[in-house]
Amino acid sequence: MYRYQRRYCGPLQAVIFDWAGTLVDFGSFAPTQVLIDVFAEQGISISMVEARAPMGLAKWDHIQALGRQSAVAERWQARFGSAMTDADVDRLYHAFMPLQVQRVADYSAPIAGARECLAQLRARGLKIGSCSGYPRVVMEALLPHAHAAGIAPDIAIATDDLPAGGRPGPWMALENVQRLAVSDVSACVKVDDTVPGIAEGLAAGMWTVGLAASGNAVGLTYAQWLALSAAEQETVQQPARDSLFAAGAHYVIASVAELDAVLDDIQQRLARGERP
């Protein structure tokens, strides 16, 4: 007779990655710069800090959240004489999409250590999933360039692939579980550079690893990052670390280049019967 095991104590089975700021596009510039340009076309000046604040959400939701920021809302009101409506969000989104498709390849360079990280996961026998705040049309523009550069997860779920929607809900992460045929969500690790991405992994019952240096919160190019001293690097990434830990991340590291040691620790915790 089958006996249900309450605690999964087996091996890790899969790692599920975000894309921009996690596997490619150090500093996560592809979404933010296009948003700045789209708002500029409407006569609204948006700073990089403002554009980055809702990062991790689906892009329609990102635009809506950006327009609801008090300072941006004030500028919109002054420019148009009324608050931003859903129809305005639709208009901005439709202006955003072709520009994002056009430019996403420009930001498709792998993050340092990402190729090696994926190779280590293959060597461990782990399945590799991914999901993104990008819609499918943008993912289809990004994937050929990423694959040619050696970044090729087993699957890639876009935010509009599922009727339930995207982050911070668990649906994209759970779709990875189904398609990868993972037997227990606690055998999965979600890796992301944003708070909504960490929330997604937690909602799906997974271990979560936040990325402080390579992602949206620090927002530096790789060259700018390398130009900093070790002490300066620690200083600029500390707010990102604090934010990701506050969101509930089980671990926070600088980038995927440091993931291998974290997986060793998670495997030991699983063996002791711990759950995310």
Side-chain angles (χ1 to χ4, degrees):
M1 184 175 70
Y2 176 76
R3 183 177 180 180
Y4 177 70
Q5 183 176 343
R6 290 181 178 273
R7 290 181 180 271
Y8 179 82
C9 300
L12 283 171
Q13 298 180 37
V15 179
I16 300 166
F17 293 94
D18 175 49
W19 277 88
T22 297
L23 290 175
V24 300
D25 187 10
F26 194 101
S28 196
F29 283 91
T32 49
Q33 188 57 58
V34 174
L35 282 168
I36 289 170
D37 293 344
V38 167
F39 272 83
E41 290 175 355
Q42 301 295 315
I44 306 292
S45 177
I46 301 292
S47 72
M48 184 64 78
V49 171
E50 289 168 333
R52 289 184 180 280
M55 190 63 71
L57 299 176
K59 295 307 165 223
W60 193 96
D61 297 330
H62 188 146
I63 293 169
Q64 183 187 58
L66 179 52
R68 288 177 174 174
Q69 292 181 32
S70 59
V72 177
E74 288 175 7
R75 281 175 238 149
W76 188 276
Q77 181 78 32
R79 174 76 173 83
F80 295 106
S82 60
M84 182 185 289
T85 66
D86 284 356
D88 293 323
V89 177
D90 287 339
R91 179 164 49 84
L92 290 166
Y93 181 79
H94 289 303
F96 168 84
M97 286 306 306
L99 283 177
Q100 185 71 95
V101 171
Q102 177 185 336
R103 297 184 191 175
V104 71
D106 297 337
Y107 300 91
S108 61
I111 286 170
R115 282 186 292 252
E116 294 79 0
C117 174
L118 297 188
Q120 290 167 345
L121 299 183
R122 301 286 187 205
R124 285 174 174 264
L126 296 177
K127 299 172 182 178
I128 303 174
S130 68
C131 53
S132 175
Y134 285 141
R136 174 53 57 184
V137 65
V138 177
M139 286 302 298
E140 291 302 319
L142 170 61
L143 287 172
H145 298 277
H147 288 179
I151 304 300
D154 298 324
I155 56 172
I157 306 300
T159 193
D160 58 350
D161 284 346
L162 306 174
R167 301 166 182 152
W171 304 288
M172 290 194 296
L174 293 176
E175 183 70 9
N176 273 269
V177 170
Q178 293 188 68
R179 296 196 189 185
L180 294 172
V182 174
S183 65
D184 194 298
V185 291
S186 61
C188 293
V189 180
K190 176 70 201 305
V191 183
D192 206 294
D193 66 295
T194 68
V195 166
I198 295 301
E200 171 190 30
L202 294 173
M206 300 175 179
W207 301 94
T208 56
V209 181
L211 305 178
S214 67
N216 175 67
V218 170
L220 297 178
T221 67
Y222 189 51
Q224 289 170 332
W225 172 254
L226 291 179
L228 299 178
S229 68
E232 289 170 332
Q233 289 178 349
E234 284 301 314
T235 298
V236 299
Q237 69 176 309
Q238 191 58 52
R241 288 182 178 276
D242 293 343
S243 177
L244 291 164
F245 273 129
H250 297 94
Y251 302 84
V252 178
I253 55 180
S255 75
V256 291
E258 300 176 2
L259 184 62
D260 202 47
V262 170
L263 299 184
D264 287 338
D265 193 66
I266 293 174
Q267 185 59 74
Q268 292 172 11
R269 294 175 70 175
L270 278 173
R272 294 195 297 267
E274 293 186 39
R275 296 184 66 86

